[in-house]
Amino acid sequence: MRNQRVTLQDIALLADVTKMTVSRFLRTPEKVSPETRERIAKVMEEVGYPLEDIERPQKTPRIGILVPSFNNQIFSDLLAGIESVTSQQGYQTLVVNYEYSKEREEEHIINLLTYQLAGLILTDSVHTLKADKYLNAAAIPIAQVMGLDDTHGRIAVGFDNVQAGYDMAKTLLASGKQHVVYFGSMSDARDQKRYLGYSQAMHEHQLEPMRITPNKVSSVSIGAGMLALARQLYPQVNAVLCTNDDIAVGVLQECLKSGIRVPEDMAISGFHGLDIGLATTPLLASVITPRYEMGKVAAEIILKKIKKIPTIERVDLHYQISMGGTI
């Protein structure tokens, strides 16, 4: 009977190989040298891991998914899109949250790759060097969603965050507002790209970019506090571009509470077009992003790659600017 306390790391140490080599041996033994295969097999037999059990194919193939937060509609929409495809085609999903920590993401990537996954979907394009090393060595299709960055040969499904930030900033400026402040959240790669686009638009108008970044997961409650801080730091502020709709809703609530007229005295834009922004009065302006479609298309491409069906590997799903009633 298998000793459940023995891990792949233990086997790797005993066989004097890396954990990734053990994982590769389990998934694609033909890619491991005969001498190494023999060594790993011997160790597995000695510690009670019957090879006939391990090498038996899983009944249900699995797709691994890494998300930075479970407390955000963005990623629940994305997961719904992925699972609309995977569940129909008999695949299970294995979802892991890394709470915007690069170190935790690295740890989860390494751990997930020790499973016999059929594919992996990531929501970030910037990883630690160690995580990238493992991803590059993995013999499964890997997709990065939510952006269109250089993915080093990985599948990319998303939209241009820099252009989206630029376009919404231009929309706010075109409304006659000049003192536009950017409200970020976690300062992750996507947030940075939106800020870059906003900054480009500001510089084109000979205006200095202004930014508030709390380094917290976005929420309605922090939006209200960010507006109070912005009005102290930038007394002339008359527009805000928020990296997420929940922050923008917090800003809108604070304006209504404080008697600040929207959009006459303060124009407000969110990002993503979440349900929370569709329930406000006035209706929140936002960059509408195709989260469900991103998940769906990424899953479709991954499954085609698994089945060796020719497919495109970079898909720009674009976005839309919604003016709402807050600009």
Side-chain angles (χ1 to χ4, degrees):
M1 188 170 160
R2 183 185 301 180
N3 180 353
Q4 296 295 338
R5 289 172 296 180
V6 177
T7 67
L8 292 185
Q9 184 61 51
D10 297 326
I11 293 165
L13 288 169
L14 290 167
D16 193 25
V17 295
T18 65
K19 192 176 175 182
M20 179 62 78
T21 302
V22 177
S23 177
R24 189 180 295 119
F25 167 76
L26 297 177
R27 288 196 310 268
T28 50
E30 70 279 1
K31 293 189 177 179
V32 178
S33 72
E35 187 269 331
T36 303
R37 281 205 307 265
E38 187 179 335
R39 204 159 69 241
I40 294 171
K42 186 179 178 186
V43 168
M44 285 184 164
E45 286 174 354
E46 286 174 355
V47 298
Y49 271 73
L51 284 175
E52 62 272 18
D53 282 356
I54 289 175
E55 291 176 346
R56 187 181 299 147
Q58 293 174 15
K59 290 179 182 176
T60 307
R62 290 180 292 188
I63 304 293
I65 308 165
L66 280 105
V67 296
S69 172
F70 285 145
N71 301 316
N72 197 317
Q73 187 194 332
I74 298 165
F75 301 110
S76 54
D77 290 345
L78 183 76
L79 290 172
I82 294 169
E83 291 181 348
S84 73
V85 174
T86 55
S87 60
Q88 271 194 349
Q89 299 203 31
Y91 285 76
Q92 286 182 344
T93 54
L94 184 56
V95 187
V96 181
N97 166 33
Y98 55 91
E99 297 176 346
Y100 288 95
S101 163
K102 289 289 168 217
E103 291 70 30
R104 285 194 70 174
E105 189 206 32
E106 174 191 292
E107 183 184 326
H108 287 317
I109 284 170
I110 293 168
N111 286 338
L112 279 172
L113 289 174
T114 64
Y115 288 89
Q116 295 182 51
L117 293 178
L120 183 63
I121 297 177
L122 309 172
T123 46
D124 259 312
S125 57
V126 179
H127 316 284
T128 66
L129 286 172
K130 188 174 181 183
D132 261 328
K133 183 180 174 184
Y134 275 80
L135 291 168
N136 292 337
I140 57 172
I142 296 172
Q144 292 178 172
V145 298
M146 306 289 294
L148 293 170
D149 308 273
D150 181 7
T151 55
H152 312 291
R154 295 166 205 150
I155 298 157
V157 179
F159 61 95
D160 187 332
N161 281 278
V162 176
Q163 190 66 42
Y166 175 86
D167 286 348
M168 185 49 96
K170 291 285 279 187
T171 302
L172 287 163
L173 292 164
S175 75
K177 305 293 196 245
Q178 286 200 313
H179 307 290
V180 185
V181 181
Y182 181 88
F183 282 13
S185 59
M186 288 299 296
S187 197
D188 58 299
R190 287 185 294 275
D191 195 357
Q192 296 279 20
K193 288 178 185 300
R194 290 166 202 162
Y195 175 70
L196 176 60
Y198 151 85
S199 298
Q200 288 173 357
M202 293 292 280
H203 285 136
E204 281 182 13
H205 286 252
Q206 286 79 52
L207 298 168
E208 196 61 35
M210 299 173 283
R211 185 183 195 180
I212 304 282
T213 304
N215 285 312
K216 292 180 181 176
V217 176
S218 61
S219 69
V220 173
S221 58
I222 69 167
M226 290 170 76
L227 179 63
L229 179 59
R231 294 183 76 200
Q232 288 176 25
L233 294 175
Y234 312 112
Q236 290 178 293
V237 56
N238 59 7
V240 292
L241 196 173
C242 304
T243 192
N244 208 342
D245 281 349
D246 42 13
I247 294 175
V249 169
V251 172
L252 176 58
Q253 287 182 348
E254 186 64 17
C255 286
L256 297 175
K257 201 184 300 179
S258 306
I260 301 168
R261 296 177 305 159
V262 177
E264 293 85 356
D265 302 328
M266 187 74 68
I268 304 167
S269 160
F271 205 102
H272 282 306
L274 304 183
D275 290 346
I276 191 171
L278 300 175
T280 61
T281 306
L283 189 69
L284 184 67
S286 193
V287 177
I288 314 296
T289 59
R291 296 159 323 266
Y292 182 91
E293 288 76 12
M294 281 188 280
K296 183 174 181 288
V297 170
E300 287 171 345
I301 293 173
I302 283 234
L303 296 193
K304 283 181 180 175
K305 294 279 286 182
I306 291 166
K307 296 168 185 175
K308 313 291 186 194
I309 299 170
T311 180
I312 53 173
E313 296 189 12
R314 189 176 188 275
V315 181
D316 185 348
L317 290 174
H318 306 287
Y319 52 86
Q320 293 177 315
I321 300 290
S322 169
M323 298 285 282
T326 58
I327 295 180

